[in-house]
Amino acid sequence: MNDSTHDTTRPRRNFTRGPLAWLVAGLLAVSGATGAAAPAQAADVPKKFVLHGSGYGHGVGMPQYGAYQLSREGATGRGILKYYYSGASAAYRTTPRTMLVQVHGPDPYSSPSMGDTRTTTKVTVRGGDWRLRSAEPKTLAKGSGPVTFTVATTKAGRAKITVEGKTYYGKLLRIHWSGTRYFKRSGSPAVASVQGAHGTYRHGRLAVTAREGVPNITNDVLLNTEYLYGIAEMPSSWGLNGGRGALSAQAITARSYAMTKDFKSSCRCHLVDDVRDQNYTGWEKESEGADGRYGAVWKRSVKATVRGPREARVLTYDGDPVAAYYYSSSGGRTADSEDVWSSAVPYLRSVKDPHSLDAPGNSYASWTRTITQEKARELSGLKNVKSLWVTSRWPSGQVREVTATSPAGKKVVIKGKADRMRSMLGRATTDGSMPAAWVTKVRRHW
């Protein structure tokens, strides 16, 4: 799960970020009485409070804009990783060959408002040839040209696929298309798409099973190349502007993160295709730009980290792959993991990061959010709020404590871990969210 700098705007499932192993609730502490305050004069109560801040994301690990700027200053991918992940190594390691990525199906992480609930979806294959196979494997149907499969499930828990007027059933059914490792490798390249998924797929094969009355669809792809070619977590165009080191660092962190994910029998997958894990859009990422120009830049950066199908650079600590968390940009210094979530992780230490703020194109180098008087009352529990100040910070500079004061001098202290503060303050703003917990100042408007 990562707060990242996506390269394009794509339709995405509604989500609340937060299925991290270390996420814990923050603490709301109230000091002093919060009973009814004496009526305040209008001049004593601001109409709103404007929060000024910088950065985007949780603040733990590698800020992508920081990596971009370091690369522009001459750092290599390995040098960038060494800087942001204390004591970690990015040497060549043996890796799994394949990953199963859920592109449609119920949420395997029990995350609120996540996953698919449709009982029917469609898979379309365009270009080249296709075939439908059973688990045995046996070819059930085949053809050429554009085709659409209607995918559903039965009450008995079997997959149900209808294509060209005929319906097929099975505990597991697979859709293949030409130009892949699984079907007519040298044939005309075809591309598959799944209704409701984030991307399209030039590589792999789609496996369909039934789960909770919903089609569960996974794509079976090579980790070191096919999966990473489709990871849309950093703009490929950065590679044309001095950012190739950042792209290489991103490829290594994405691979390392994937390697920490165990196979889950409930979804028959290792990862899902969105921000609960990593944003996987497949062919859309690989082919982006005129004639695939930007996609080719990203692929070259991925390939530069690979020796073979089972050997590539991996970010490790004490010899084990790490969950390499990353995000868009910091507010000037990254965070210690325990200040954002709960556990102290040795390779997720706070470091200075002026690079995020210096990077070109960072629209979150500065931002503002507004909390109205009404929302300030709801946040604090006070009848009226005269002032709202940041009264304590974590070493990263992220908000640790905010104090609200009434016209009569009564105080309420709101405090918690950085990600919790980001969430609590963000919900109180007119935007309903806040980019990061780096709040530099609060100004009152009367």
Side-chain angles (χ1 to χ4, degrees), residues 279-319:
N279 197 39
Y280 169 70
T281 64
W283 184 242
E284 290 187 18
K285 175 67 173 180
E286 188 177 345
S287 64
E288 68 181 342
D291 298 320
R293 178 190 182 205
Y294 295 138
V297 172
W298 170 240
K299 286 180 66 176
R300 283 197 296 272
S301 296
V302 172
K303 288 179 179 178
T305 69
V306 177
R307 278 184 176 169
R310 296 182 64 91
E311 186 179 10
R313 288 198 183 278
V314 177
L315 191 66
T316 61
Y317 186 84
D318 280 348

Side-chain angles (χ1 to χ4, degrees), residues 10 45 84 128 162 168 185 191 272 284 338 371:
R10 297 182 173 87
V45 179
Y84 287 117
T162 301
Y168 304 88
R185 185 187 292 264
V191 176
V272 300
E284 290 187 18
E338 67 272 23
I371 298 178

Side-chain angles (χ1 to χ4, degrees), residues 110-162:
S110 300
S111 304
S113 305
M114 298 297 289
D116 298 287
T117 58
R118 307 176 194 86
T119 56
T120 301
T121 189
K122 295 183 183 298
V123 174
T124 300
V125 175
R126 293 182 174 86
D129 303 321
W130 57 269
R131 69 181 177 187
L132 176 65
R133 304 195 96 188
S134 64
E136 282 72 21
K138 176 183 177 182
T139 297
L140 305 175
K142 61 183 179 180
S144 300
V147 66
T148 295
F149 303 82
T150 299
V151 183
T153 65
T154 69
K155 291 182 179 179
R158 303 174 75 200
K160 174 185 175 183
I161 295 182
T162 301

Side-chain angles (χ1 to χ4, degrees), residues 356-376:
S356 282
L357 302 180
D358 293 340
N362 182 4
S363 60
Y364 286 95
S366 64
W367 48 260
T368 60
R369 290 294 186 270
T370 298
I371 298 178
T372 64
Q373 176 65 218
E374 179 184 2
K375 288 295 185 179

